[in-house]
Amino acid sequence: MTTQTTAAFYTEFGSLDKIQVGPLDLPAVGECDVLLRVKAAGLNPIDYIVREGYYQQALPSVFPTVPGFDVAGIVEQVGPGVSRLRVGDEVFGMVYRPVAQHGTLAERIVVPESYLTLRPHTLSWEAAAGLPLASITAYQAVITAGQLQAGETVLILGGSGGVGSTAIQLAKHAGATVIAVASAKNAAYMQSLGADFTVDYAAGPIAEAVQQVAPGGIDLLFDTVSGDTLLQSLAALKPAGRLLSLLNDGTALELPAGVQFKHVIAHLSLPDLEHLRELADAGHLQIPLAGTFPLTGIMQAFRQLESQRTVGKLVIVP
Ligand SMILES: NC(=O)c1ccc[n+]([C@@H]2O[C@H](COP(=O)([O-])OP(=O)(O)OC[C@H]3O[C@@H](n4cnc5c(N)ncnc54)[C@H](OP(=O)(O)O)[C@@H]3O)[C@@H](O)[C@H]2O)c1
């Protein structure tokens, strides 16, 4: 019976030097839990936001805290109430519990089966582990909240990041014209994912650059970066356009009359995750990797993530 695991963890909030790697006790496998051998665990910006203590109201932490929400792995043991999964199943999921404590950056985790489903069989373990949180977010924004339709034009701010990379592909698959914004060095990358046009946020007012390629304006603006990039983009919206933001709650935004606004907060939905799995297995969704690191490389991985210059997904292979 496995009672301990090697994990990345911290015992107080703070910067990345608070993270250590070592043995931790595993919780007992409960009625509806599985014991998972982690093959890969994806990183997301929320991992350092939680570690720095900025997210306590929405998500309280219990120390020692193992960070990590995204995971792909193999079921090694099941509790007596587990109904869908079996020992040996290859699964992935977004382990977004009510409390940050038992995250995914470990060799083994105990997790309710309700957070997991079978993994895409065409993606590597690393790509599967990079899919859940970022791609669910992109899907729940662009498709569910944004209702993007074929023939519409979408502007994606942060097209080279984890969320933006999937958003470009989902928008293209929906039949939209895609304009993606990042720095010039990432233009070819965004085109490779399906962007019809790219805009360099450092090259001048974004709305003016968009006007060149979409003179009638854009139907949907998907914001994953906020700040000045968002403010510069608002004028590109059509009069009855839709704006979705992951970071801005809209209270301080002066929106053009008629624009519909939604602040999107992603949540785990197994049907959404399974739909994304099917898109991946059908060849419509790839998860480009920015880098893979062993657990002992966790500081390096977080340093790259916190630079906010990551292109694609960072993944830990414990
Ligand atoms: N509300 C929610 O539920 C939710 C869910 C997921 C993520 N988020 C948030 O959404 C944000 C994006 O997440 P992510 O996982 O995609 O992050 P990420 O992978 O770290 O994004 C990094 C990318 O952002 C680009 N970028 C940085 N500044 C930019 C700017 N001013 N204009 C355009 N692109 C810019 C960078 O491109 P360059 O190197 O070219 O600058 C880089 O490729 C994070 O702040 C995250 O916390 C919120």
Side-chain angles (χ1 to χ4, degrees), residues 45 49 133 137 158 160-163 181-183 185-186 201 224-225 229 246-247 264-266 308-310:
I49 296 167
L133 196 151
T137 304
S160 51
V163 177
V181 180
S183 59
K185 67 178 182 339
N186 291 327
Y201 58 75
T224 79
V225 294
T229 302
L246 297 182
L247 303 167
V264 175
I265 307 274
Q308 299 183 7
R309 299 274 84 81
T310 302

Side-chain angles (χ1 to χ4, degrees), residues 285-299:
L285 175 62
Q286 47 174 303
I287 307 295
L289 298 176
T292 59
F293 299 83
L295 256 188
T296 49
I298 187 75
M299 301 267 278

Side-chain angles (χ1 to χ4, degrees), residues 260-283:
Q260 303 164 49
F261 173 81
K262 275 187 196 161
H263 180 205
V264 175
I265 307 274
H267 59 276
L268 173 63
S269 151
L270 285 188
D272 288 356
L273 189 58
E274 287 162 353
H275 178 66
L276 290 160
R277 176 186 71 201
E278 280 152 29
L279 286 177
D281 280 341

Side-chain angles (χ1 to χ4, degrees), residues 145-147 152 219-222 234 237-245 250 253 255-263:
Q147 291 288 302
E152 289 192 317
D219 300 283
L220 182 67
L221 171 49
F222 178 36
L234 293 176
L237 274 162
K238 285 181 179 173
R242 288 109 68 202
L243 166 60
L244 308 170
S245 181
L253 279 180
L255 293 178
V259 166
Q260 303 164 49
F261 173 81
K262 275 187 196 161
H263 180 205

